[in-house]
Amino acid sequence: MRNFEDDRLVSIVVPVYNAGRFIGETIQYVKAQTYENWELILVDDCSKDNSCSIIESRIREEKQQGRDNRIRLVRQETNSGAAKCRNKGVSCARGRYLCFLDADDIWESEKLAHQLAFIAGDKGFVFTGYEFADENGDGLGKIVHVPSEITYKEALKNTTIFTSTVMIDRKVIDDNDMMMPCIASEDTATWWNLLKKYGRGYGLDECLVRYRRSTGTLSANKLTAIQRIWNLYRKHERLSIVKSLYCMIFWAVRAVLRRA
């Protein structure tokens, strides 16, 4: 079993690319957590906007408050995509617990505290409910509830695990198993890999995250989403056409219900 210098430290990995519009606000939501033993690792993917200058300003503020190294900026040498950014962040993480947060999403202030209480024991992979939000971060009242447990076979038909809600115990889950493949919907592929190896994930059915749906994002494009999930079934999981169609029917119904 792996040992950590600080057994209660939470490492938060955020991939950043041209996120200047949101990143300052996202950092503030992390700083507002009622659980304060965390480190924030922001991995910049060669942004062309003011993302890095905003992050550097927040780091200076932290140092002025006597909190060196709680917020870190890691720069990619070449634009590599979200998967490699998250993998880089994992390799830099010092905490026992690992969370992912997208640069435009929002955590409620008790997210870490509630999830840490929930993950206690032998749960290696947990996730929470969430709410869809508009571009301003305001909740739309569309709350996604999650099951208490989910297996690989169940997850194929129900992609309810949202990246910004995940927490992983690195004493239970090996870092190598968290390395995301460089494919579309790399996060979903990773959750499926974890479920195949470790048996199940555990859902905390509390709405602790707001999923900001910005105009023009991939997730907002329905046809793109269908193509991505189909490619995951066929190319990543190597399911038959019949099995893929079977899973996709359930996926489509649940996707519609989540947004209804």
Side-chain angles (χ1 to χ4, degrees), residues 179-201:
M179 294 295 105
M180 295 191 176
C182 294
I183 58 175
S185 295
E186 71 286 343
D187 45 358
T188 297
T190 302
W191 313 147
W192 289 352
N193 289 341
L194 292 182
L195 293 172
K196 275 190 287 188
K197 180 168 183 177
Y198 294 94
R200 64 190 64 243

mmCIF file with all atom_site columns, all heavy atoms in Angstrom, residues 179-201:
data_model
loop_
_atom_site.group_PDB
_atom_site.id
_atom_site.type_symbol
_atom_site.label_atom_id
_atom_site.label_alt_id
_atom_site.label_comp_id
_atom_site.label_asym_id
_atom_site.label_entity_id
_atom_site.label_seq_id
_atom_site.pdbx_PDB_ins_code
_atom_site.Cartn_x
_atom_site.Cartn_y
_atom_site.Cartn_z
_atom_site.occupancy
_atom_site.B_iso_or_equiv
_atom_site.pdbx_formal_charge
_atom_site.auth_seq_id
_atom_site.auth_comp_id
_atom_site.auth_asym_id
_atom_site.auth_atom_id
_atom_site.pdbx_PDB_model_num
ATOM 1   N N   . MET A 1 179 ? -4.236  6.929  -15.792 1.00 0.00 ? 179 MET A N   1
ATOM 2   C CA  . MET A 1 179 ? -3.706  7.604  -16.964 1.00 0.00 ? 179 MET A CA  1
ATOM 3   C C   . MET A 1 179 ? -4.738  7.564  -18.091 1.00 0.00 ? 179 MET A C   1
ATOM 4   O O   . MET A 1 179 ? -5.153  6.485  -18.521 1.00 0.00 ? 179 MET A O   1
ATOM 5   C CB  . MET A 1 179 ? -2.407  6.961  -17.420 1.00 0.00 ? 179 MET A CB  1
ATOM 6   C CG  . MET A 1 179 ? -1.253  7.105  -16.432 1.00 0.00 ? 179 MET A CG  1
ATOM 7   S SD  . MET A 1 179 ? -0.709  8.822  -16.188 1.00 0.00 ? 179 MET A SD  1
ATOM 8   C CE  . MET A 1 179 ? -1.397  9.181  -14.550 1.00 0.00 ? 179 MET A CE  1
ATOM 9   N N   . MET A 1 180 ? -5.161  8.722  -18.550 1.00 0.00 ? 180 MET A N   1
ATOM 10  C CA  . MET A 1 180 ? -6.241  8.794  -19.538 1.00 0.00 ? 180 MET A CA  1
ATOM 11  C C   . MET A 1 180 ? -5.712  8.620  -20.955 1.00 0.00 ? 180 MET A C   1
ATOM 12  O O   . MET A 1 180 ? -4.680  9.190  -21.311 1.00 0.00 ? 180 MET A O   1
ATOM 13  C CB  . MET A 1 180 ? -6.974  10.129 -19.416 1.00 0.00 ? 180 MET A CB  1
ATOM 14  C CG  . MET A 1 180 ? -7.705  10.308 -18.099 1.00 0.00 ? 180 MET A CG  1
ATOM 15  S SD  . MET A 1 180 ? -8.802  11.742 -18.117 1.00 0.00 ? 180 MET A SD  1
ATOM 16  C CE  . MET A 1 180 ? -9.563  11.587 -16.489 1.00 0.00 ? 180 MET A CE  1
ATOM 17  N N   . PRO A 1 181 ? -6.410  7.843  -21.778 1.00 0.00 ? 181 PRO A N   1
ATOM 18  C CA  . PRO A 1 181 ? -5.986  7.658  -23.174 1.00 0.00 ? 181 PRO A CA  1
ATOM 19  C C   . PRO A 1 181 ? -6.261  8.925  -23.981 1.00 0.00 ? 181 PRO A C   1
ATOM 20  O O   . PRO A 1 181 ? -7.180  9.685  -23.667 1.00 0.00 ? 181 PRO A O   1
ATOM 21  C CB  . PRO A 1 181 ? -6.858  6.494  -23.650 1.00 0.00 ? 181 PRO A CB  1
ATOM 22  C CG  . PRO A 1 181 ? -8.101  6.607  -22.821 1.00 0.00 ? 181 PRO A CG  1
ATOM 23  C CD  . PRO A 1 181 ? -7.647  7.089  -21.467 1.00 0.00 ? 181 PRO A CD  1
ATOM 24  N N   . CYS A 1 182 ? -5.487  9.140  -25.013 1.00 0.00 ? 182 CYS A N   1
ATOM 25  C CA  . CYS A 1 182 ? -5.647  10.336 -25.855 1.00 0.00 ? 182 CYS A CA  1
ATOM 26  C C   . CYS A 1 182 ? -6.678  10.071 -26.949 1.00 0.00 ? 182 CYS A C   1
ATOM 27  O O   . CYS A 1 182 ? -6.346  9.932  -28.129 1.00 0.00 ? 182 CYS A O   1
ATOM 28  C CB  . CYS A 1 182 ? -4.300  10.755 -26.442 1.00 0.00 ? 182 CYS A CB  1
ATOM 29  S SG  . CYS A 1 182 ? -3.140  11.303 -25.186 1.00 0.00 ? 182 CYS A SG  1
ATOM 30  N N   . ILE A 1 183 ? -7.926  9.978  -26.521 1.00 0.00 ? 183 ILE A N   1
ATOM 31  C CA  . ILE A 1 183 ? -9.045  9.755  -27.432 1.00 0.00 ? 183 ILE A CA  1
ATOM 32  C C   . ILE A 1 183 ? -10.185 10.672 -27.003 1.00 0.00 ? 183 ILE A C   1
ATOM 33  O O   . ILE A 1 183 ? -10.155 11.241 -25.903 1.00 0.00 ? 183 ILE A O   1
ATOM 34  C CB  . ILE A 1 183 ? -9.532  8.283  -27.403 1.00 0.00 ? 183 ILE A CB  1
ATOM 35  C CG1 . ILE A 1 183 ? -9.948  7.886  -25.974 1.00 0.00 ? 183 ILE A CG1 1
ATOM 36  C CG2 . ILE A 1 183 ? -8.456  7.343  -27.928 1.00 0.00 ? 183 ILE A CG2 1
ATOM 37  C CD1 . ILE A 1 183 ? -10.542 6.505  -25.868 1.00 0.00 ? 183 ILE A CD1 1
ATOM 38  N N   . ALA A 1 184 ? -11.176 10.835 -27.873 1.00 0.00 ? 184 ALA A N   1
ATOM 39  C CA  . ALA A 1 184 ? -12.348 11.610 -27.485 1.00 0.00 ? 184 ALA A CA  1
ATOM 40  C C   . ALA A 1 184 ? -13.070 10.908 -26.347 1.00 0.00 ? 184 ALA A C   1
ATOM 41  O O   . ALA A 1 184 ? -13.124 9.679  -26.290 1.00 0.00 ? 184 ALA A O   1
ATOM 42  C CB  . ALA A 1 184 ? -13.278 11.780 -28.685 1.00 0.00 ? 184 ALA A CB  1
ATOM 43  N N   . SER A 1 185 ? -13.602 11.683 -25.386 1.00 0.00 ? 185 SER A N   1
ATOM 44  C CA  . SER A 1 185 ? -14.262 11.127 -24.187 1.00 0.00 ? 185 SER A CA  1
ATOM 45  C C   . SER A 1 185 ? -13.296 10.266 -23.391 1.00 0.00 ? 185 SER A C   1
ATOM 46  O O   . SER A 1 185 ? -13.629 9.192  -22.911 1.00 0.00 ? 185 SER A O   1
ATOM 47  C CB  . SER A 1 185 ? -15.515 10.336 -24.565 1.00 0.00 ? 185 SER A CB  1
ATOM 48  O OG  . SER A 1 185 ? -16.490 11.178 -25.134 1.00 0.00 ? 185 SER A OG  1
ATOM 49  N N   . GLU A 1 186 ? -12.066 10.784 -23.247 1.00 0.00 ? 186 GLU A N   1
ATOM 50  C CA  . GLU A 1 186 ? -11.032 10.052 -22.524 1.00 0.00 ? 186 GLU A CA  1
ATOM 51  C C   . GLU A 1 186 ? -11.405 9.799  -21.066 1.00 0.00 ? 186 GLU A C   1
ATOM 52  O O   . GLU A 1 186 ? -10.999 8.791  -20.472 1.00 0.00 ? 186 GLU A O   1
ATOM 53  C CB  . GLU A 1 186 ? -9.710  10.810 -22.584 1.00 0.00 ? 186 GLU A CB  1
ATOM 54  C CG  . GLU A 1 186 ? -9.616  12.096 -21.766 1.00 0.00 ? 186 GLU A CG  1
ATOM 55  C CD  . GLU A 1 186 ? -10.385 13.275 -22.353 1.00 0.00 ? 186 GLU A CD  1
ATOM 56  O OE1 . GLU A 1 186 ? -10.733 13.223 -23.540 1.00 0.00 ? 186 GLU A OE1 1
ATOM 57  O OE2 . GLU A 1 186 ? -10.622 14.255 -21.626 1.00 0.00 ? 186 GLU A OE2 1
ATOM 58  N N   . ASP A 1 187 ? -12.186 10.696 -20.482 1.00 0.00 ? 187 ASP A N   1
ATOM 59  C CA  . ASP A 1 187 ? -12.569 10.521 -19.087 1.00 0.00 ? 187 ASP A CA  1
ATOM 60  C C   . ASP A 1 187 ? -13.513 9.327  -18.915 1.00 0.00 ? 187 ASP A C   1
ATOM 61  O O   . ASP A 1 187 ? -13.305 8.483  -18.035 1.00 0.00 ? 187 ASP A O   1
ATOM 62  C CB  . ASP A 1 187 ? -13.197 11.799 -18.523 1.00 0.00 ? 187 ASP A CB  1
ATOM 63  C CG  . ASP A 1 187 ? -14.214 12.431 -19.456 1.00 0.00 ? 187 ASP A CG  1
ATOM 64  O OD1 . ASP A 1 187 ? -14.438 11.926 -20.568 1.00 0.00 ? 187 ASP A OD1 1
ATOM 65  O OD2 . ASP A 1 187 ? -14.790 13.466 -19.063 1.00 0.00 ? 187 ASP A OD2 1
ATOM 66  N N   . THR A 1 188 ? -14.520 9.232  -19.777 1.00 0.00 ? 188 THR A N   1
ATOM 67  C CA  . THR A 1 188 ? -15.431 8.083  -19.708 1.00 0.00 ? 188 THR A CA  1
ATOM 68  C C   . THR A 1 188 ? -14.683 6.768  -19.902 1.00 0.00 ? 188 THR A C   1
ATOM 69  O O   . THR A 1 188 ? -14.924 5.781  -19.190 1.00 0.00 ? 188 THR A O   1
ATOM 70  C CB  . THR A 1 188 ? -16.536 8.212  -20.773 1.00 0.00 ? 188 THR A CB  1
ATOM 71  O OG1 . THR A 1 188 ? -17.313 9.385  -20.498 1.00 0.00 ? 188 THR A OG1 1
ATOM 72  C CG2 . THR A 1 188 ? -17.454 6.997  -20.781 1.00 0.00 ? 188 THR A CG2 1
ATOM 73  N N   . ALA A 1 189 ? -13.764 6.738  -20.866 1.00 0.00 ? 189 ALA A N   1
ATOM 74  C CA  . ALA A 1 189 ? -12.964 5.536  -21.095 1.00 0.00 ? 189 ALA A CA  1
ATOM 75  C C   . ALA A 1 189 ? -12.174 5.161  -19.839 1.00 0.00 ? 189 ALA A C   1
ATOM 76  O O   . ALA A 1 189 ? -12.047 3.973  -19.504 1.00 0.00 ? 189 ALA A O   1
ATOM 77  C CB  . ALA A 1 189 ? -12.011 5.748  -22.273 1.00 0.00 ? 189 ALA A CB  1
ATOM 78  N N   . THR A 1 190 ? -11.669 6.156  -19.141 1.00 0.00 ? 190 THR A N   1
ATOM 79  C CA  . THR A 1 190 ? -10.895 5.900  -17.923 1.00 0.00 ? 190 THR A CA  1
ATOM 80  C C   . THR A 1 190 ? -11.774 5.340  -16.819 1.00 0.00 ? 190 THR A C   1
ATOM 81  O O   . THR A 1 190 ? -11.379 4.402  -16.117 1.00 0.00 ? 190 THR A O   1
ATOM 82  C CB  . THR A 1 190 ? -10.217 7.190  -17.442 1.00 0.00 ? 190 THR A CB  1
ATOM 83  O OG1 . THR A 1 190 ? -9.384  7.702  -18.484 1.00 0.00 ? 190 THR A OG1 1
ATOM 84  C CG2 . THR A 1 190 ? -9.373  6.940  -16.195 1.00 0.00 ? 190 THR A CG2 1
ATOM 85  N N   . TRP A 1 191 ? -12.975 5.893  -16.650 1.00 0.00 ? 191 TRP A N   1
ATOM 86  C CA  . TRP A 1 191 ? -13.872 5.365  -15.598 1.00 0.00 ? 191 TRP A CA  1
ATOM 87  C C   . TRP A 1 191 ? -14.233 3.915  -15.906 1.00 0.00 ? 191 TRP A C   1
ATOM 88  O O   . TRP A 1 191 ? -14.279 3.086  -15.001 1.00 0.00 ? 191 TRP A O   1
ATOM 89  C CB  . TRP A 1 191 ? -15.139 6.215  -15.484 1.00 0.00 ? 191 TRP A CB  1
ATOM 90  C CG  . TRP A 1 191 ? -14.934 7.702  -15.431 1.00 0.00 ? 191 TRP A CG  1
ATOM 91  C CD1 . TRP A 1 191 ? -15.768 8.668  -15.931 1.00 0.00 ? 191 TRP A CD1 1
ATOM 92  C CD2 . TRP A 1 191 ? -13.838 8.433  -14.826 1.00 0.00 ? 191 TRP A CD2 1
ATOM 93  N NE1 . TRP A 1 191 ? -15.267 9.922  -15.707 1.00 0.00 ? 191 TRP A NE1 1
ATOM 94  C CE2 . TRP A 1 191 ? -14.087 9.813  -15.035 1.00 0.00 ? 191 TRP A CE2 1
ATOM 95  C CE3 . TRP A 1 191 ? -12.677 8.053  -14.162 1.00 0.00 ? 191 TRP A CE3 1
ATOM 96  C CZ2 . TRP A 1 191 ? -13.208 10.792 -14.587 1.00 0.00 ? 191 TRP A CZ2 1
ATOM 97  C CZ3 . TRP A 1 191 ? -11.795 9.038  -13.725 1.00 0.00 ? 191 TRP A CZ3 1
ATOM 98  C CH2 . TRP A 1 191 ? -12.060 10.387 -13.927 1.00 0.00 ? 191 TRP A CH2 1
ATOM 99  N N   . TRP A 1 192 ? -14.465 3.608  -17.182 1.00 0.00 ? 192 TRP A N   1
ATOM 100 C CA  . TRP A 1 192 ? -14.759 2.210  -17.546 1.00 0.00 ? 192 TRP A CA  1
ATOM 101 C C   . TRP A 1 192 ? -13.580 1.309  -17.214 1.00 0.00 ? 192 TRP A C   1
ATOM 102 O O   . TRP A 1 192 ? -13.758 0.194  -16.704 1.00 0.00 ? 192 TRP A O   1
ATOM 103 C CB  . TRP A 1 192 ? -15.090 2.119  -19.030 1.00 0.00 ? 192 TRP A CB  1
ATOM 104 C CG  . TRP A 1 192 ? -16.409 2.708  -19.423 1.00 0.00 ? 192 TRP A CG  1
ATOM 105 C CD1 . TRP A 1 192 ? -17.392 3.167  -18.569 1.00 0.00 ? 192 TRP A CD1 1
ATOM 106 C CD2 . TRP A 1 192 ? -16.899 2.905  -20.743 1.00 0.00 ? 192 TRP A CD2 1
ATOM 107 N NE1 . TRP A 1 192 ? -18.453 3.647  -19.297 1.00 0.00 ? 192 TRP A NE1 1
ATOM 108 C CE2 . TRP A 1 192 ? -18.190 3.491  -20.631 1.00 0.00 ? 192 TRP A CE2 1
ATOM 109 C CE3 . TRP A 1 192 ? -16.384 2.655  -22.012 1.00 0.00 ? 192 TRP A CE3 1
ATOM 110 C CZ2 . TRP A 1 192 ? -18.960 3.821  -21.740 1.00 0.00 ? 192 TRP A CZ2 1
ATOM 111 C CZ3 . TRP A 1 192 ? -17.145 2.981  -23.124 1.00 0.00 ? 192 TRP A CZ3 1
ATOM 112 C CH2 . TRP A 1 192 ? -18.421 3.554  -22.989 1.00 0.00 ? 192 TRP A CH2 1
ATOM 113 N N   . ASN A 1 193 ? -12.370 1.764  -17.492 1.00 0.00 ? 193 ASN A N   1
ATOM 114 C CA  . ASN A 1 193 ? -11.175 0.971  -17.175 1.00 0.00 ? 193 ASN A CA  1
ATOM 115 C C   . ASN A 1 193 ? -11.079 0.694  -15.672 1.00 0.00 ? 193 ASN A C   1
ATOM 116 O O   . ASN A 1 193 ? -10.754 -0.427 -15.255 1.00 0.00 ? 193 ASN A O   1
ATOM 117 C CB  . ASN A 1 193 ? -9.916  1.688  -17.655 1.00 0.00 ? 193 ASN A CB  1
ATOM 118 C CG  . ASN A 1 193 ? -9.774  1.694  -19.159 1.00 0.00 ? 193 ASN A CG  1
ATOM 119 O OD1 . ASN A 1 193 ? -10.395 0.879  -19.857 1.00 0.00 ? 193 ASN A OD1 1
ATOM 120 N ND2 . ASN A 1 193 ? -8.964  2.603  -19.681 1.00 0.00 ? 193 ASN A ND2 1
ATOM 121 N N   . LEU A 1 194 ? -11.348 1.728  -14.863 1.00 0.00 ? 194 LEU A N   1
ATOM 122 C CA  . LEU A 1 194 ? -11.277 1.557  -13.412 1.00 0.00 ? 194 LEU A CA  1
ATOM 123 C C   . LEU A 1 194 ? -12.339 0.577  -12.928 1.00 0.00 ? 194 LEU A C   1
ATOM 124 O O   . LEU A 1 194 ? -12.066 -0.274 -12.065 1.00 0.00 ? 194 LEU A O   1
ATOM 125 C CB  . LEU A 1 194 ? -11.458 2.907  -12.711 1.00 0.00 ? 194 LEU A CB  1
ATOM 126 C CG  . LEU A 1 194 ? -10.346 3.937  -12.893 1.00 0.00 ? 194 LEU A CG  1
ATOM 127 C CD1 . LEU A 1 194 ? -10.659 5.201  -12.086 1.00 0.00 ? 194 LEU A CD1 1
ATOM 128 C CD2 . LEU A 1 194 ? -8.989  3.378  -12.479 1.00 0.00 ? 194 LEU A CD2 1
ATOM 129 N N   . LEU A 1 195 ? -13.542 0.695  -13.479 1.00 0.00 ? 195 LEU A N   1
ATOM 130 C CA  . LEU A 1 195 ? -14.615 -0.199 -13.054 1.00 0.00 ? 195 LEU A CA  1
ATOM 131 C C   . LEU A 1 195 ? -14.319 -1.644 -13.445 1.00 0.00 ? 195 LEU A C   1
ATOM 132 O O   . LEU A 1 195 ? -14.633 -2.581 -12.698 1.00 0.00 ? 195 LEU A O   1
ATOM 133 C CB  . LEU A 1 195 ? -15.943 0.261  -13.655 1.00 0.00 ? 195 LEU A CB  1
ATOM 134 C CG  . LEU A 1 195 ? -16.464 1.609  -13.130 1.00 0.00 ? 195 LEU A CG  1
ATOM 135 C CD1 . LEU A 1 195 ? -17.679 2.047  -13.923 1.00 0.00 ? 195 LEU A CD1 1
ATOM 136 C CD2 . LEU A 1 195 ? -16.778 1.535  -11.649 1.00 0.00 ? 195 LEU A CD2 1
ATOM 137 N N   . LYS A 1 196 ? -13.721 -1.839 -14.612 1.00 0.00 ? 196 LYS A N   1
ATOM 138 C CA  . LYS A 1 196 ? -13.356 -3.196 -15.023 1.00 0.00 ? 196 LYS A CA  1
ATOM 139 C C   . LYS A 1 196 ? -12.344 -3.807 -14.063 1.00 0.00 ? 196 LYS A C   1
ATOM 140 O O   . LYS A 1 196 ? -12.434 -4.990 -13.713 1.00 0.00 ? 196 LYS A O   1
ATOM 141 C CB  . LYS A 1 196 ? -12.784 -3.178 -16.451 1.00 0.00 ? 196 LYS A CB  1
ATOM 142 C CG  . LYS A 1 196 ? -13.819 -3.244 -17.540 1.00 0.00 ? 196 LYS A CG  1
ATOM 143 C CD  . LYS A 1 196 ? -13.213 -3.461 -18.912 1.00 0.00 ? 196 LYS A CD  1
ATOM 144 C CE  . LYS A 1 196 ? -12.520 -2.211 -19.424 1.00 0.00 ? 196 LYS A CE  1
ATOM 145 N NZ  . LYS A 1 196 ? -12.082 -2.367 -20.841 1.00 0.00 ? 196 LYS A NZ  1
ATOM 146 N N   . LYS A 1 197 ? -11.389 -3.030 -13.640 1.00 0.00 ? 197 LYS A N   1
ATOM 147 C CA  . LYS A 1 197 ? -10.315 -3.572 -12.802 1.00 0.00 ? 197 LYS A CA  1
ATOM 148 C C   . LYS A 1 197 ? -10.685 -3.652 -11.330 1.00 0.00 ? 197 LYS A C   1
ATOM 149 O O   . LYS A 1 197 ? -10.341 -4.626 -10.643 1.00 0.00 ? 197 LYS A O   1
ATOM 150 C CB  . LYS A 1 197 ? -9.045  -2.730 -12.964 1.00 0.00 ? 197 LYS A CB  1
ATOM 151 C CG  . LYS A 1 197 ? -7.878  -3.241 -12.128 1.00 0.00 ? 197 LYS A CG  1
ATOM 152 C CD  . LYS A 1 197 ? -6.568  -2.594 -12.499 1.00 0.00 ? 197 LYS A CD  1
ATOM 153 C CE  . LYS A 1 197 ? -5.421  -3.182 -11.685 1.00 0.00 ? 197 LYS A CE  1
ATOM 154 N NZ  . LYS A 1 197 ? -4.108  -2.611 -12.071 1.00 0.00 ? 197 LYS A NZ  1
ATOM 155 N N   . TYR A 1 198 ? -11.393 -2.619 -10.832 1.00 0.00 ? 198 TYR A N   1
ATOM 156 C CA  . TYR A 1 198 ? -11.631 -2.534 -9.394  1.00 0.00 ? 198 TYR A CA  1
ATOM 157 C C   . TYR A 1 198 ? -13.060 -2.908 -8.978  1.00 0.00 ? 198 TYR A C   1
ATOM 158 O O   . TYR A 1 198 ? -13.373 -2.892 -7.791  1.00 0.00 ? 198 TYR A O   1
ATOM 159 C CB  . TYR A 1 198 ? -11.288 -1.130 -8.893  1.00 0.00 ? 198 TYR A CB  1
ATOM 160 C CG  . TYR A 1 198 ? -9.816  -0.816 -9.022  1.00 0.00 ? 198 TYR A CG  1
ATOM 161 C CD1 . TYR A 1 198 ? -9.324  -0.162 -10.147 1.00 0.00 ? 198 TYR A CD1 1
ATOM 162 C CD2 . TYR A 1 198 ? -8.908  -1.207 -8.041  1.00 0.00 ? 198 TYR A CD2 1
ATOM 163 C CE1 . TYR A 1 198 ? -7.966  0.122  -10.287 1.00 0.00 ? 198 TYR A CE1 1
ATOM 164 C CE2 . TYR A 1 198 ? -7.556  -0.927 -8.159  1.00 0.00 ? 198 TYR A CE2 1
ATOM 165 C CZ  . TYR A 1 198 ? -7.088  -0.268 -9.293  1.00 0.00 ? 198 TYR A CZ  1
ATOM 166 O OH  . TYR A 1 198 ? -5.750  0.002  -9.428  1.00 0.00 ? 198 TYR A OH  1
ATOM 167 N N   . GLY A 1 199 ? -13.897 -3.241 -9.951  1.00 0.00 ? 199 GLY A N   1
ATOM 168 C CA  . GLY A 1 199 ? -15.197 -3.821 -9.610  1.00 0.00 ? 199 GLY A CA  1
ATOM 169 C C   . GLY A 1 199 ? -16.376 -2.872 -9.604  1.00 0.00 ? 199 GLY A C   1
ATOM 170 O O   . GLY A 1 199 ? -17.384 -3.134 -10.240 1.00 0.00 ? 199 GLY A O   1
ATOM 171 N N   . ARG A 1 200 ? -16.242 -1.752 -8.907  1.00 0.00 ? 200 ARG A N   1
ATOM 172 C CA  . ARG A 1 200 ? -17.367 -0.826 -8.830  1.00 0.00 ? 200 ARG A CA  1
ATOM 173 C C   . ARG A 1 200 ? -16.933 0.551  -8.341  1.00 0.00 ? 200 ARG A C   1
ATOM 174 O O   . ARG A 1 200 ? -15.887 0.703  -7.718  1.00 0.00 ? 200 ARG A O   1
ATOM 175 C CB  . ARG A 1 200 ? -18.491 -1.378 -7.940  1.00 0.00 ? 200 ARG A CB  1
ATOM 176 C CG  . ARG A 1 200 ? -18.135 -1.566 -6.479  1.00 0.00 ? 200 ARG A CG  1
ATOM 177 C CD  . ARG A 1 200 ? -19.247 -2.336 -5.760  1.00 0.00 ? 200 ARG A CD  1
ATOM 178 N NE  . ARG A 1 200 ? -19.376 -3.687 -6.298  1.00 0.00 ? 200 ARG A NE  1
ATOM 179 C CZ  . ARG A 1 200 ? -20.468 -4.129 -6.896  1.00 0.00 ? 200 ARG A CZ  1
ATOM 180 N NH1 . ARG A 1 200 ? -21.531 -3.354 -7.027  1.00 0.00 ? 200 ARG A NH1 1
ATOM 181 N NH2 . ARG A 1 200 ? -20.523 -5.365 -7.361  1.00 0.00 ? 200 ARG A NH2 1
ATOM 182 N N   . GLY A 1 201 ? -17.763 1.535  -8.668  1.00 0.00 ? 201 GLY A N   1
ATOM 183 C CA  . GLY A 1 201 ? -17.588 2.870  -8.133  1.00 0.00 ? 201 GLY A CA  1
ATOM 184 C C   . GLY A 1 201 ? -18.780 3.191  -7.257  1.00 0.00 ? 201 GLY A C   1
ATOM 185 O O   . GLY A 1 201 ? -19.824 2.523  -7.321  1.00 0.00 ? 201 GLY A O   1
#
